[in-house]
């Protein structure tokens, strides 16, 4: 066992001296003490966030309005300012067009590259194609696509128009995608006809047809085929805005274009100036209590937050090669492409992390000269358990871990295997598209401990009474706003759903749903979710998505899904079912349930075990008792885990003991 808090890595004087956050503190005229810098950043937020705009030379007009107005949850930032995310991401296309911007790799070893100049040219073409379809400011463009350059290009083109981007990974089943995209009513759907994963080809043509059929607002579909992915440099094709063999009429949602058609016409690369809080993209919560929440982030908040996080906490700049293993359905994709903001080369990977073997990602990082490699904590644990000793990583100096807590043993394995590499464990969420707590080059790394609260993030730990505590496990809260907090939820005109999601427990304070312990020196330990959200393979998933699939089976009367994962252990995904009268949990039914969950949702949603119980615990008002059951399975006595007087059927708790 590795002792929590054991010292594993310390920055050398050279690392501290050359760190980008050190240069920033020198520019500010402040001392290099990180805790003092953090305290100033949260005590004087207007000064701090204004300094970032000036220090990074954000492309845009700052305006003369207040930096911060209002209080949470109704805060507004940089009133009167205008900017555009894409203009900031592509700014180096003018000053250094030959600098490498994107490297794309796939499972089969395929490799494509784009310089900043080439990337800007592709964005200009797709921008012209989207504009030709009538896409403009405020319209939604939805993508069902893997982590390939076409997705990045389409996102930047969408943002350049002031339109709004949203994406799902193609391993999502049609119902999951429909639940998300129908809420935002996209004008254009960009989709692949299939994808490769774990050495197999998965056809998605029928799924795409099902998705499109449920989106009546579409004026066009753009299909990315294998031939498009093979080469985006060939501009030959039908002029953008015309369907091959058609009349080019833009009035039909049945109108289908190829990617080549969309990018056929060269056009100027312009950037629509938009207000600071203008919607940039829509990402989604996991759908624990209903349909996934469509979370809207703004141009300005994302630009400032990602400049800060990537530059100061991960020490990334123009000489870096940045890779994070992710899909387009996880907020880490949005974070990864933010590497363009600081001038880094971003590496996109489409495929399985462990194909053809567990070391696939390490090999890719070595081949591409990656300087900062990010992944989910489960991949690091899998590498540790496989006894891997990654080699050939001569350029690597930073390793990021997120998605779920990394146990002390994981920390120790990283620094035993890669002693010169700084491990940065980060915790945050889709809600803010960044980390609240993480690493910084100025501070040492200790086993199981996240070194600091991130600049500008006033993270505190609240006890059950709502009082801040140090050295005790409590609720992770933010007691001051950040610019990358959602500007709204889509279709939530009065903000009710937004307020209920984060501010219902502590008025004016953001409750995030994680357990955290803040140490006296500012370090943090995350103990997982404090609510019923599931976390499998670093991907958060909602229970309601399970129930919509499981309970459509006539044989199933009721169900409950529980993730028993804890700090350092991924745990088991358990599906409890109550059978309809006369039905039995046969082997055939188990197989059909597993197949449905895999196909409709994703392979991550397949439970480790399906267990029959006589009833599902519910409150008097009919709510399923997910959190209490999880506590019982982890050893908490039922009478302490649940208020039996508030239950409609307390007798069924006996069937959910750890021994049953």
């Amino acid at each position: 066992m590795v002792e929590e808090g054991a010292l594993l890595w310390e920055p050398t004087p050279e690392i501290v001296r050359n760190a980008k956050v050190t240069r920033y503190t020198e520019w500010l005229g402040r001392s290099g003490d990180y805790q003092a810098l953090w305290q100033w950043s949260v005590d004087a937020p207007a000064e701090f966030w204004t300094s970032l705009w000036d220090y990074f030379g954000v492309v845009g007009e700052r305006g003369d309005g207040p930096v911060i107005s209002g209080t949470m949850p109704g805060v507004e930032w940089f009133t009167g300012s205008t900017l555009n995310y894409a203009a900031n991401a592509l700014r180096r296309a003018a000053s250094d067009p030959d600098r490498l911007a994107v490297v794309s790799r796939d499972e089969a070893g395929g490799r494509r590259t784009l310089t900043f100049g080439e990337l800007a040219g592709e964005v200009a073409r797709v921008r012209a194609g989207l504009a030709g379809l009538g896409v403009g400011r405020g319209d939604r463009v939805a993508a069902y696509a893997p982590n390939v350059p076409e997705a990045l290009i389409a996102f930047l083109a969408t943002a350049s128009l002031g339109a709004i981007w949203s994406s799902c990974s193609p391993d999502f089943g049609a119902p999951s995608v429909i639940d998300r995209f129908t809420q935002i009513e996209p004008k254009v759907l960009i989709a692949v006809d299939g994808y490769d994963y774990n050495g197999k080809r998965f056809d998605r043509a029928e799924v795409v047809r099902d998705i499109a059929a449920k989106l009546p607002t579409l004026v066009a579909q753009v299909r990315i085929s294998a031939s498009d992915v093979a080469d985006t440099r060939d501009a030959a094709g039908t002029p953008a805005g015309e369907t091959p063999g058609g009349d080019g009429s833009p009035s039909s949602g049945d109108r289908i274009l190829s990617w080549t058609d969309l990018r056929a016409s060269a056009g100027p690369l312009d950037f629509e100036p938009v207000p600071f809080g203008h919607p940039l993209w829509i990402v989604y919560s996991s759908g624990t209590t209903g349909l996934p929440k469509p979370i809207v982030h703004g141009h300005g908040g994302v630009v400032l937050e990602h400049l800060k996080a990537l530059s100061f906490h991960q020490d990334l700049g123009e000489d870096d090669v940045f890779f994070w293993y992710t899909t387009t359905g996880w907020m880490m994709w949005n974070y990864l492409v933010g590497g363009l903001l600081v001038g880094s080369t971003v590496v996109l990977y489409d495929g399985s992390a462990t194909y053809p073997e567990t070391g696939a990602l390490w090999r890719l990082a070595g081949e591409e000269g990656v300087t900062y490699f990010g992944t989910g904590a489960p991949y690091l644990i899998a590498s540790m358990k496989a006894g891997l000793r990654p080699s050939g990583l001569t350029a690597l100096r930073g390793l990021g871990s997120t998605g779920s807590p990394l146990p002390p043993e994981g920390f120790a394995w990283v620094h035993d295997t890669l002693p010169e590499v700084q491990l940065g464990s980060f915790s945050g969420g889709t809600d803010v598209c960044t980390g609240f707590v993480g690493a910084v080059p100025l501070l040492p790394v200790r086993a199981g401990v996240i070194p600091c609260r991130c600049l500008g993030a006033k993270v505190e730990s609240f006890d059950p009474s709502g009082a801040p505590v140090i050295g005790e496990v409590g609720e992770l809260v933010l007691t001051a706003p950040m610019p990358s907090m959602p500007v709204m939820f889509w279709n939530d005109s009065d903000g009710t759903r937004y307020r209920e999601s984060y501010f219902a427990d502590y008025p004016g304070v953001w409750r995030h749903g994680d357990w955290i312990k803040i140490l006296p020196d500012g370090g943090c330990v995350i103990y997982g979710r404090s609510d019923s959200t599931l976390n499998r393979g670093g991907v958060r998933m909602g229970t309601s998505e399970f129930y919509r699939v499981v309970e459509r089976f006539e044989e199933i009367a009721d169900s409950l899904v529980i993730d028993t994962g804890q700090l350092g252990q991924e745990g088991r995904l358990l599906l409890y079912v109550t059978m309809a009268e006369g039905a039995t949990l046969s082997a055939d039914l188990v197989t059909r349930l597993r197949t449905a969950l895999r196909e409709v949702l994703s392979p991550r949603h397949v439970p480790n075990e399906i267990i029959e119980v006589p009833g599902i615990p519910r409150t008097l008002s009919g709510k399923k008792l997910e959190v209490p059951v999880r506590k019982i399975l982890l050893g908490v006595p039922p009478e302490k885990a649940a208020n039996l007087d508030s239950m409609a059927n307390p007798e069924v708790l006996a069937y959910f003991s750890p021994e049953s």
Side-chain angles (χ1 to χ4, degrees), residues 82-298:
T82 59
L83 76 169
N84 188 289
Y85 177 102
N88 284 274
L90 294 171
R91 63 194 301 183
R92 287 162 184 84
S95 61
D96 196 357
D98 295 330
R99 179 180 291 276
L100 187 61
V102 178
V103 174
S104 175
R105 293 284 300 269
D106 61 31
E107 282 186 349
R111 186 177 190 268
R112 294 186 286 161
T113 63
L114 289 166
T115 65
F116 273 96
E118 290 168 338
L119 177 60
E122 287 299 313
V123 171
R125 286 182 170 276
V126 174
R127 183 185 197 274
L130 290 174
L133 294 172
V135 174
R137 183 164 168 161
D139 290 328
R140 277 76 65 205
V141 174
Y144 185 60
N147 188 10
V148 293
E150 289 73 19
L152 171 58
I153 292 164
F155 157 59
L156 292 172
T158 299
S160 75
L161 290 164
I164 306 167
W165 173 260
S166 191
S167 61
C168 285
S169 172
D171 64 344
F172 280 36
S176 291
V177 180
I178 291 166
D179 281 350
R180 288 158 172 80
F181 288 170
T182 53
Q183 295 186 73
I184 67 170
E185 300 179 313
K187 196 167 193 174
V188 172
L189 174 67
I190 300 173
V192 290
D193 56 7
Y195 70 100
D196 296 297
Y197 187 84
N198 212 28
K200 299 178 182 178
R201 181 69 179 174
F202 294 86
D203 184 271
R204 301 313 258 172
E206 185 174 348
V207 173
V208 172
R209 285 193 292 270
D210 291 344
I211 294 168
K214 297 293 185 180
L215 300 175
T217 55
L218 292 180
V219 300
Q221 301 173 47
V222 178
R223 299 288 174 85
I224 303 173
S225 67
S227 59
D228 291 319
V229 171
D231 190 357
T232 59
R233 294 183 296 276
D234 180 8
T238 316
E242 291 188 15
T243 304
D247 61 3
S249 170
S251 62
S252 172
D254 293 330
R255 184 173 172 220
I256 299 175
L257 295 80
S258 71
W259 178 259
T260 301
D261 298 329
L262 184 69
R263 59 173 296 280
S265 299
L269 183 55
D270 294 327
F271 304 100
E272 175 75 10
V274 295
F276 189 90
H278 182 77
L280 170 64
W281 56 49
I282 300 172
V283 291
Y284 302 91
S285 72
S286 51
T288 300
T289 56
L291 287 175
K293 300 179 183 71
I295 300 169
V296 184
H297 293 131

Side-chain angles (χ1 to χ4, degrees), residues 189-550:
L189 174 67
I190 300 173
V192 290
D193 56 7
Y195 70 100
D196 296 297
Y197 187 84
N198 212 28
K200 299 178 182 178
R201 181 69 179 174
F202 294 86
D203 184 271
R204 301 313 258 172
E206 185 174 348
V207 173
V208 172
R209 285 193 292 270
D210 291 344
I211 294 168
K214 297 293 185 180
L215 300 175
T217 55
L218 292 180
V219 300
Q221 301 173 47
V222 178
R223 299 288 174 85
I224 303 173
S225 67
S227 59
D228 291 319
V229 171
D231 190 357
T232 59
R233 294 183 296 276
D234 180 8
T238 316
E242 291 188 15
T243 304
D247 61 3
S249 170
S251 62
S252 172
D254 293 330
R255 184 173 172 220
I256 299 175
L257 295 80
S258 71
W259 178 259
T260 301
D261 298 329
L262 184 69
R263 59 173 296 280
S265 299
L269 183 55
D270 294 327
F271 304 100
E272 175 75 10
V274 295
F276 189 90
H278 182 77
L280 170 64
W281 56 49
I282 300 172
V283 291
Y284 302 91
S285 72
S286 51
T288 300
T289 56
L291 287 175
K293 300 179 183 71
I295 300 169
V296 184
H297 293 131
H299 280 246
V302 171
V303 167
L304 286 185
E305 175 57 39
H306 287 184
L307 284 170
K308 177 213 75 178
L310 291 162
S311 184
F312 298 158
H313 289 281
Q314 290 172 286
D315 205 35
L316 289 171
E318 293 185 343
D319 296 326
D320 286 295
V321 179
F322 179 39
F323 168 52
W324 207 292
Y325 178 69
T326 182
T327 71
T328 59
W330 188 22
M331 52 108 354
M332 291 310 301
W333 182 83
N334 305 68
Y335 190 77
L336 168 63
V337 301
L340 298 173
L341 294 169
V342 296
S344 298
T345 300
V346 297
V347 178
L348 313 177
Y349 177 67
D350 174 27
S352 168
T354 56
Y355 180 83
E357 32 74 30
T358 306
L361 296 186
W362 298 109
R363 186 178 66 254
L364 182 152
E367 291 171 354
E368 295 299 340
V370 169
T371 59
Y372 199 102
F373 167 30
T375 184
Y379 182 72
L380 299 179
I381 298 301
S383 297
M384 177 182 72
K385 291 181 177 179
L388 296 187
R389 305 288 297 183
S391 60
L393 300 168
T394 55
L396 190 67
R397 57 181 179 79
L399 180 67
S401 172
T402 193
S404 59
L406 184 68
E409 290 75 16
F411 276 75
W413 176 81
V414 168
H415 285 291
D416 177 60
T417 307
L418 302 165
E420 304 302 318
V421 173
Q422 182 189 12
L423 172 64
S425 181
F426 288 82
S427 183
T430 301
D431 319 80
V432 288
C433 216
T434 189
F436 295 127
V437 295
V440 69
L442 310 181
L443 298 177
V445 175
R446 301 179 186 276
V449 178
I450 296 175
C452 64
R453 290 172 279 188
C454 294
L455 294 175
K458 195 170 185 181
V459 174
E460 297 190 64
S461 176
F462 272 14
D463 69 13
S465 68
V469 293
I470 297 293
E472 299 178 25
V473 177
E475 287 277 359
L476 190 161
V477 299
L478 279 89
T479 55
M482 295 172 62
S484 66
M485 286 177 172
V487 295
M488 62 177 174
F489 287 174
W490 199 258
N491 290 331
D492 182 31
S493 58
D494 64 357
T496 297
R497 199 178 184 195
Y498 177 53
R499 291 191 299 272
E500 290 177 347
S501 296
Y502 309 112
F503 299 96
D505 294 272
Y506 311 107
V509 172
W510 173 295
R511 174 188 174 273
H512 192 60
D514 280 340
W515 297 121
I516 186 173
K517 178 170 65 177
I518 300 175
L519 305 175
D521 65 359
C524 307
V525 181
I526 298 289
Y527 293 96
R529 300 297 297 170
S530 63
D531 58 20
S532 61
T533 303
L534 309 174
N535 193 323
R536 304 296 291 174
V539 178
R540 290 174 60 191
M541 303 181 297
T543 55
S544 64
E545 295 187 292
F546 281 79
Y547 302 144
R548 285 197 296 272
V549 176
V550 173

